[in-house]
Amino acid sequence: MEANQKTLVNSCSFAGVKPIMVDLPYPEIQVRGQNPAYANLLSADYCGATSEMSAITQYINNENRLSCEKCPLAKTILGIAMAEMMHLQKLGEMIYLLGGTVDFIAKQPNGRNVMWTPGFLNLSENVRKMILADIEAEKGAISQYRMHMKAIRDDCVNRVLERIIMDEEYHIMILQALLRECS
C-alpha cells in the first residue's frame, strides 16, 4: 500500500444484535391439510412485491448504507431485518406443508406468476425517507396479511400470520420512534 493511502474501517460492531420482535412465542408451524391455493397466497407474502423477501433486502441495504455513520440506527435496522428473516422462514415452512413450492416466484390468483426482483424495493439516500419507506412497507405487509387471513380458512396458518402481524406492528412503533429522533 502506498504511503498516502488510508485504510478505511467500519467501527460499527454488530456483535450481540438480536431480532427485534414482540416477546411472545410463535405458534407451532402446522396446517390443517395441504391446500395449494393457500400456499400460493403465502407465496406473495414470501416473495411478492410486498413480502418478507423485499423487507429483508430493503432493511439490509439500509443497514449497510447506515453502518459507517449511524451505527445505533444501523443496529436497530439489522435487528428488524433479523425478525423479518424469521418470518420468511416460517412462511416457507407453511408453504411447504400446504403443498406449495418454496422459491422466488409469487403465484398470483390469475395464474400470472411474478419472480422476486430488487425492483420491488424503495431505496433512498435520505435517512428520513428511508425510515418512511420502511414504515409504509410494514403497513403494506400488515394489510396484505390481514387480507390473506380472510381468504385462508386454516386456523393454524392464521395464528402464525397474526403473530407475524404483531412483530410488524412493533416494527412500525420502533421505526416511528427512530423517525422522531431524525427530526
Side-chain angles (χ1 to χ4, degrees):
M1 187 181 312
E2 293 182 25
N4 62 351
Q5 287 185 329
K6 291 170 67 174
T7 300
L8 301 175
V9 177
N10 183 354
S11 61
C12 188
S13 170
F14 292 100
V17 174
K18 294 185 178 6
I20 294 177
M21 51 197 281
V22 174
D23 190 20
L24 292 171
Y26 283 90
E28 184 178 351
I29 304 301
Q30 58 185 353
V31 301
R32 293 287 173 204
Q34 288 199 340
N35 188 320
Y38 293 171
N40 289 349
L41 282 175
L42 295 183
S43 74
D45 300 318
Y46 186 86
C47 64
T50 300
S51 68
E52 298 299 336
M53 181 65 66
S54 293
I56 292 163
T57 308
Q58 184 164 306
Y59 281 125
I60 292 297
N61 184 275
N62 290 345
E63 173 267 315
N64 286 166
R65 291 183 294 140
L66 293 169
S67 66
C68 290
E69 295 177 18
K70 299 186 182 306
C71 184
L73 177 57
K75 286 181 178 183
T76 300
I77 297 297
L78 178 60
I80 294 172
M82 292 167 75
E84 305 295 357
M85 289 176 202
M86 294 173 68
H87 300 164
L88 184 78
Q89 190 275 331
K90 291 177 185 327
L91 289 169
E93 277 188 69
M94 289 191 297
I95 291 167
Y96 176 79
L97 291 174
L98 288 164
T101 304
V102 180
D103 53 22
F104 297 106
I105 299 173
K107 286 78 173 177
Q108 306 295 311
N110 62 7
R112 190 172 155 261
N113 297 336
V114 179
M115 181 173 269
W116 186 87
T117 170
F120 293 154
L121 308 180
N122 185 348
L123 303 176
S124 173
E125 294 300 319
N126 174 294
V127 175
R128 183 172 174 71
K129 287 181 181 176
M130 200 182 280
I131 295 170
L132 285 169
D134 292 341
I135 290 170
E136 288 309 308
E138 294 284 1
K139 288 178 179 179
I142 291 168
S143 175
Q144 183 169 286
Y145 280 128
R146 288 192 173 131
M147 183 177 63
H148 288 168
M149 288 173 68
K150 288 178 183 172
I152 294 173
R153 304 276 186 243
D154 183 322
D155 59 315
C156 298
V157 172
N158 284 338
R159 276 196 297 273
V160 175
L161 297 181
E162 187 59 46
R163 175 59 187 80
I164 290 172
I165 287 171
M166 289 180 191
D167 284 342
E168 308 299 21
E169 290 171 336
Y170 185 57
H171 295 162
I172 290 171
M173 188 180 79
I174 299 292
L175 291 165
Q176 287 172 334
L178 293 174
L179 193 58
R180 286 190 294 273
E181 289 175 20
C182 290
S183 298

